[in-house]
Amino acid sequence: MTEPNDLYRIWVYLSETPLLWLTVTLVAYVAGDTVSALARRHPAANPVVMAAALLVVLLTLTGTDYRDYFEGAQFVHFLLGPATVALAVPLWRNRAAVRRNLLPMCAALVVGSLTAIASAVTIAWALGAPAPVLASLASKSTTAPIAMALTESIGGIPSLAAVLVVMTGILGAIIVTPLMNALKITDFAARGFAAGVASHGMGTARAFQVSEEAGTFAGIAMGLNGALTALIFLGLPLLF
């Protein structure tokens, strides 16, 4: 059994090393995941969103600079690479389903990617948004690193693009299950692919909570949409 003095020594050690914020990040996610489990994985109880909210509140209350936080939490950031590569495991398990749906996937990818770009930019343009904001909106359905690089290439605001990507992911993860149920779409391949195209990593994480098949197709969609969006952006400087 851990004594109070042992806990105090652990706290003193963590508070003087970058491991403090790594530990806080993991604890925040465990707390969010616990709440999500208690809510029976309701779409609104997204563990990533809750963990991020807890961290924002804590960093604000303690006055901690983001660079200080990231110095400890960067190991989690490093794990994004292996986690992305690990998506190959369910892809291999469901390779037969992927082959069967190859043509519909290609069609859905092109339509979904173009719609994600055109709808956001058109609505913002109609509301009078300036060109840098329009450029920042165009990549909202890709992952943050891709979005920031592409946005900068067409004169947008990379930091704004990152915020829009996160907001898109959160919204997609929350509404994808109720929306698909309302539309009576029961094919997990279609549900997952739509989530991956529209809301990148967070949509993919939500898809895996529902079904491995849905998560597999969401992961494929996330990767392909990033690549296709990059190709589309080659022609966007002329438009902007």
Side-chain angles (χ1 to χ4, degrees), residues 153-205:
S153 72
I154 60 172
I157 307 169
S159 57
L160 176 59
V163 172
L164 293 170
V165 166
V166 173
M167 292 176 63
T168 299
I170 292 172
L171 183 61
I174 290 174
I175 70 171
V176 61
T177 299
L179 178 61
M180 294 296 173
N181 290 340
L183 294 174
K184 301 187 184 304
I185 298 175
T186 57
D187 186 338
F188 282 121
R191 292 168 68 115
F193 200 84
V197 169
S199 48
H200 49 83
M202 299 186 81
T204 300

Side-chain angles (χ1 to χ4, degrees), residues 88-102 105 212 216-217 220:
V89 175
L91 172 58
W92 176 254
R93 290 175 181 167
N94 294 275
R95 60 189 181 280
V98 172
R99 282 196 296 265
R100 287 196 306 270
N101 290 280
L102 194 57
M105 282 167 50
E212 182 180 288
T216 298
F217 279 87
I220 295 171

Side-chain angles (χ1 to χ4, degrees), residues 115-153:
T115 300
I117 296 172
S119 60
V121 172
T122 301
I123 293 172
W125 173 78
L127 294 174
V133 175
L134 298 181
S136 304
L137 273 166
S139 59
K140 65 176 180 56
S141 288
T142 63
T143 57
I146 295 175
M148 294 176 71
L150 294 178
T151 297
E152 188 174 14
S153 72

Side-chain angles (χ1 to χ4, degrees):
M1 184 174 181
T2 305
E3 298 293 333
N5 288 338
D6 294 333
L7 292 175
Y8 177 74
R9 282 196 291 269
I10 292 172
W11 166 253
V12 170
Y13 172 74
L14 289 176
S15 64
E16 294 178 353
T17 68
L19 287 175
L20 171 65
W21 292 111
L22 172 60
T23 304
V24 170
T25 301
L26 296 176
V27 170
Y29 181 79
V30 170
D33 189 61
T34 301
V35 174
S36 178
L38 292 173
R40 297 183 179 181
R41 302 299 179 188
H42 190 278
N46 189 291
V48 176
V49 175
M50 289 186 285
L54 286 172
L55 289 170
V56 168
V57 171
L58 185 58
L59 292 175
T60 302
L61 291 177
T62 59
T64 303
D65 187 80
Y66 178 76
R67 283 175 293 185
D68 295 332
Y69 163 76
F70 189 74
E71 184 180 353
Q74 60 183 326
F75 183 67
V76 177
H77 183 266
F78 164 78
L79 289 176
L80 287 174
T84 303
V85 174
L87 290 173
V89 175
L91 172 58
W92 176 254
R93 290 175 181 167
N94 294 275
R95 60 189 181 280
V98 172
R99 282 196 296 265
R100 287 196 306 270
N101 290 280
L102 194 57
L103 184 59
M105 282 167 50
C106 292
L109 174 66
V110 174
V111 173
S113 186
L114 290 174
T115 300
I117 296 172
S119 60
V121 172
T122 301
I123 293 172
W125 173 78
L127 294 174
V133 175
L134 298 181
S136 304
L137 273 166
S139 59
K140 65 176 180 56
S141 288
T142 63
T143 57
I146 295 175
M148 294 176 71
L150 294 178
T151 297
E152 188 174 14
S153 72
I154 60 172
I157 307 169
S159 57
L160 176 59
V163 172
L164 293 170
V165 166
V166 173
M167 292 176 63
T168 299
I170 292 172
L171 183 61
I174 290 174
I175 70 171
V176 61
T177 299
L179 178 61
M180 294 296 173
N181 290 340
L183 294 174
K184 301 187 184 304
I185 298 175
T186 57
D187 186 338
F188 282 121
R191 292 168 68 115
F193 200 84
V197 169
S199 48
H200 49 83
M202 299 186 81
T204 300
R206 173 58 187 166
F208 270 111
Q209 288 182 337
V210 176
S211 157
E212 182 180 288
E213 183 182 7
T216 298
F217 279 87
I220 295 171
M222 176 179 66
L224 293 178
N225 187 46
L228 180 58
T229 302
L231 293 175
I232 293 173
F233 264 60
L234 292 177
L236 287 183
L238 294 176
L239 176 62
F240 281 102

